[in-house]
Structure formats: structure tokens, C-alpha cells
Amino acid sequence: GNCCVPLFMITTGYLMKNKKLSKQYYSGIIRVLALYLVISAACIIFDIHHFHKEYTAWTILKSLFMFTGAQYAWYVEYYVSIFLLAPFMNLAWNGLNTRKAKTVMLISVLALSILGESVYIGTTKDTQIRLFPYYFQRVYPVAYYFIGAYIRDFPPKRDASTKMLWGTLAAVALFYLTWSSYRHSITNAEGEYHFTSWHYNDYGSWPVALASTMIFLLLFDIRRSEERRVGKL
């Protein structure tokens, strides 16, 4: 479940890395916003009639701008943000002419976001040392975007041994995430041993990032024929 959102973010970078600043590009957000308004209206009507919640014109307006009118409206907030930034991130990314330069850029963004948030040394939470600057921790959606762009520019080998490596790394990352979360939870005595994870219960943690990237690499090159298409957006 933790990998679903990162997979969407990686896919966004993979598919949108060549989008350019234009009037046509900006018009693409209209459909998303229109769907958001329709779905939010349906959710608000349901809340009023089923849960008997009280709404005023102001609280409805607030829910729309705060992206709380629908349960998963935060997803729209993310998409609008990345949509508006994508052409400028693409200018920065595509302006780098060598694989080495793009690798350094990707590592830099990863270090300041995903690694900065979740890479520590030490055995106890109170004495652990963080290894990377932490100030840009919430920039991990940009890191995932550039992971997708990097895979689009430099697709890896697609043989069985490489796929085996991706699958193994995904399994290791998920096992570590499970084991560490269990270990942290059984030490949470003051919280009555309820689930807790010191650094990894987040989309931007390194085990989730590693597992998501490996799962994407396992699936990104699957091809399907036109006859198997079941719908068109």
C-alpha cells in the first residue's frame, strides 16, 4: 500500500518529462479540476444526506480550496502542484546534456529529500544521528518525478537476470520496512505498543522509495496490443 502513491509519482515523471510550457499544456488541467469539482459535490451531498453534516457556503468553499471535500482530494492537490511545476522541472532536467549530470542531479534531490528524511545511524531513537540535511524532506514528490524521468532517458536492460535483481531488491526493501516497523512498535510501550515507525511510515522513506522504484522497473516495459485496450481517457 505504501508503494501506490510513489508509483504514481514515478509514472508522472516517466510520462511527462518532455512536456513543454504552452497554452495547450495548461489547458490540460481543466479536465482534472472539473472532475474534482463534480466528485467533491457528490461527496458533500452524500455527507449532508447520509451523515447529516452541516455545510454553509463558506465551509463548502473552504473544502474545495483546502482539498478536503472528497476523501482523496489531497491527491488532486499533489497533481495540480506537480502539473504546474513540470514544465520548469523538465527545462532543468532536459537542459543537462549528459547522463553523468542527470545522475548527479537525481542523487542530489534524493539526498535532500528521501535520504534526508529516513537515513539515520544508531540503535535508539533518542541517540540516532541523521546523515543528510533534513530541511527539504517534503520535496520527495520531485525526487520521484526525476526517478521516472531518469528511467525514461536511460532504460535498464530487460533480461531475466536484471528483472530478478529488481524483484530481489523490492523484496528486501519491503522486508526491511516490515521488520523495522515491527521492531519499533514493540518498543512503543508508552503508546501501548500501537503501530509506529520511527522514520519509514511515509511515502518519502528510503525503503518505500527503493521498493517502489524496483516495482516500477519490473512493470514499466510491459507491452499490450491495441486489441486489449478496455478504455480510453
Side-chain angles (χ1 to χ4, degrees):
N2 280 340
C3 294
C4 294
V5 171
L7 283 170
F8 177 78
M9 294 177 175
I10 294 172
T11 304
T12 303
Y14 186 86
L15 296 176
M16 294 183 63
K17 69 165 288 291
N18 293 319
K19 297 293 184 180
K20 296 181 180 179
L21 192 64
S22 67
K23 182 179 180 180
Q24 182 181 6
Y25 173 79
Y26 280 116
S27 65
I29 199 66
I30 295 176
R31 180 175 59 179
V32 175
L33 293 177
L35 287 171
Y36 166 65
L37 292 175
V38 171
I39 293 171
S40 295
C43 291
I44 291 172
I45 292 171
F46 182 81
D47 283 344
I48 293 173
H49 288 279
H50 185 74
F51 294 113
H52 306 291
K53 291 185 178 180
E54 294 184 1
Y55 281 90
T56 64
W58 180 256
T59 56
I60 292 175
L61 186 65
K62 179 182 177 181
S63 70
L64 294 176
F65 278 92
M66 300 289 285
F67 296 93
T68 58
Q71 185 178 3
Y72 284 95
W74 65 267
Y75 222 71
V76 180
E77 184 176 17
Y78 152 75
Y79 186 76
V80 169
S81 301
I82 206 72
F83 182 92
L84 295 175
L85 288 176
F88 306 102
M89 294 193 297
N90 293 343
L91 285 171
W93 180 261
N94 296 322
L96 301 174
N97 297 321
T98 65
R99 180 170 185 169
K100 180 180 178 180
K102 290 183 177 181
T103 301
V104 172
M105 181 177 183
L106 177 60
I107 292 174
S108 299
V109 177
L110 288 172
L112 293 174
S113 56
I114 291 172
L115 300 184
E117 177 177 351
S118 57
V119 175
Y120 289 73
I121 58 173
T123 56
T124 63
K125 187 176 182 180
D126 294 334
T127 61
Q128 284 185 327
I129 299 173
R130 189 175 65 246
L131 296 185
F132 297 91
Y134 188 55
Y135 200 79
F136 284 173
Q137 55 161 321
R138 305 313 294 175
V139 185
Y140 69 81
V142 176
Y144 284 125
Y145 186 93
F146 284 143
I147 288 173
Y150 191 90
I151 296 172
R152 179 71 177 270
D153 283 344
F154 311 108
K157 294 180 180 180
R158 302 176 181 182
D159 52 51
S161 60
T162 304
K163 294 285 187 179
M164 184 68 70
L165 175 61
W166 303 148
T168 301
L169 289 174
V172 169
L174 292 173
F175 174 81
Y176 180 82
L177 179 64
T178 303
W179 171 79
S180 63
S181 299
Y182 171 75
R183 183 169 62 89
H184 298 164
S185 296
I186 63 175
T187 62
N188 186 25
E190 61 184 28
E192 297 182 348
Y193 305 102
H194 291 171
F195 174 81
T196 185
S197 180
W198 295 347
H199 313 297
Y200 310 129
N201 187 31
D202 188 81
Y203 297 133
S205 65
W206 76 259
V208 175
L210 178 59
S212 301
T213 302
M214 295 305 104
I215 292 172
F216 183 86
L217 288 171
L218 284 170
L219 303 175
F220 83 103
D221 58 344
I222 294 176
R223 296 290 182 262
R224 54 148 179 81
S225 65
E226 288 296 319
E227 290 74 18
R228 296 177 63 186
R229 177 180 293 177
V230 295
K232 182 177 180 181
L233 295 178

